[in-house]
Amino acid sequence: MTASGTHVEPPTHSRLNRRYWDEEAAAAHGPLARAHWSDPEPGWGLWATPESELALLPGDLTGRRVIELGCGTAYVSARLARAGARPVGVDLSREQLATARAMQAEFGLDFPLLLADAERVPCRDGSFDLAVSEYGASLWCDPRRWIPEAARLLVPGGLLVFMRYSPLYALCASDGEQASAFLRRPQFGAGGLGRLERGGRVEFVLPHGEMIRVLRGSGFTVESLTEVRAPRDAHRDYPEVSADWARNWPCEEVWTARLTG
């Protein structure tokens, strides 16, 4: 609904991704939630890269108002809550949020969970000090929509931290196969980067230049871009990328940006 009460149909990618997470992906990711919630050392991404190594978050989170955009089972929000923050998790999947609520009950943590599209969050302007997304809105939402929305939700000087697939990985990957050492798609034009159709779901990976333009156009100043490398003792390979590939090239990256107007 808009402020005037008019119903607005969600974008096609939001409808596809909601169906994917409710009907397919939640069954696979749900069993992982307990391990993520109970992990003693917070880590980021496919390789569980420690926060102590990446240092992406403010040193003192006590009392900070945080919104996790595309929270899934909300394990990132749980880590933030344990560190003293006041998180709110937002996700468009009922099934993912049902798992998150079960984890809250099991682990004795309580924070708000909102069923909503991260491109249109039902919270007031300037409600948060920090916005975070780990393969949530950062991958499944249109950056031209969710980044301006993150800017709206943050206070002036607020921080945005998000992890996503790297453009290089997206150029070397194809649906159903591991990333190769060869480019499999163009960066420009039809079939290039941007909106990636992947068999009933939609992901978004913008090239670096376009991502910088979107961030700057929303009032952000980029503070860092960290390209994550798989460690030598990586715990596993994934269907989409092997640890060996990710030791040679970055398959994921983390951006931090400050809302400076």
Side-chain angles (χ1 to χ4, degrees):
M1 301 289 285
T2 65
S4 63
T6 304
H7 179 75
V8 177
E9 188 71 12
T12 303
H13 62 268
S14 296
R15 299 198 301 272
L16 288 172
N17 289 341
R18 178 184 289 114
R19 185 181 303 118
Y20 171 73
W21 279 101
D22 279 345
E23 299 178 6
E24 297 181 45
H29 284 257
L32 300 174
R34 185 171 291 103
H36 286 148
W37 273 68
S38 59
D39 193 340
E41 182 174 11
W44 293 90
L46 299 177
W47 316 111
T49 306
E51 166 63 18
S52 57
E53 178 180 328
L54 294 178
L56 302 176
L57 300 174
D60 184 6
L61 289 166
T62 304
R64 299 237 185 181
R65 301 166 300 166
V66 185
I67 187 159
E68 185 184 359
L69 298 169
C71 67
T73 60
Y75 60 87
V76 172
S77 287
R79 295 168 184 168
L80 295 168
R82 291 187 183 112
R86 296 158 50 199
V88 174
V90 176
D91 204 274
L92 52 65
S93 168
R94 292 182 184 275
E95 294 299 321
Q96 289 284 82
L97 290 184
T99 299
R101 292 188 179 97
M103 292 298 99
Q104 285 184 322
E106 180 174 335
F107 286 86
L109 285 176
D110 184 32
F111 48 83
L113 296 168
L114 302 180
L115 179 66
D117 189 336
E119 297 176 9
R120 295 176 299 170
V121 178
C123 295
R124 294 179 179 176
D125 297 3
S127 296
F128 300 95
D129 307 299
L130 173 65
V132 178
S133 183
E134 183 196 42
Y135 289 113
S138 55
L139 181 63
W140 301 93
C141 293
D142 187 340
R144 298 172 186 84
R145 293 173 178 263
W146 81 262
I147 288 177
E149 182 69 345
R152 182 187 70 80
L153 293 166
L154 287 170
V155 297
L159 188 66
L160 171 63
V161 178
F162 63 95
M163 171 173 265
R164 63 168 194 162
Y165 286 132
S166 74
L168 180 59
Y169 161 77
L171 290 171
C172 295
S174 62
D175 202 17
E177 297 182 22
Q178 280 191 337
S180 75
F182 306 95
L183 299 177
R184 287 176 163 170
R185 72 171 73 243
Q187 179 161 321
F188 306 115
L193 295 185
R195 177 185 170 116
L196 307 179
E197 305 279 349
R198 294 188 181 275
R201 65 191 192 273
V202 180
E203 299 174 357
F204 292 87
V205 181
L206 294 186
H208 287 151
E210 182 63 18
M211 180 60 79
I212 290 171
R213 285 190 289 273
V214 171
L215 287 164
R216 285 174 60 88
S218 300
F220 287 104
T221 297
V222 175
E223 293 194 343
S224 69
L225 168 59
T226 304
E227 294 172 307
V228 180
R229 185 183 188 187
R232 289 192 176 276
D233 59 347
H235 57 291
R236 60 173 293 186
D237 289 334
Y238 291 88
E240 66 268 30
V241 64
S242 69
D244 184 63
W245 192 98
R247 279 190 287 267
N248 289 290
W249 302 284
C251 74
E252 54 188 3
E253 60 188 29
V254 190
W255 294 70
T256 61
R258 184 81 55 182
L259 187 63
T260 54

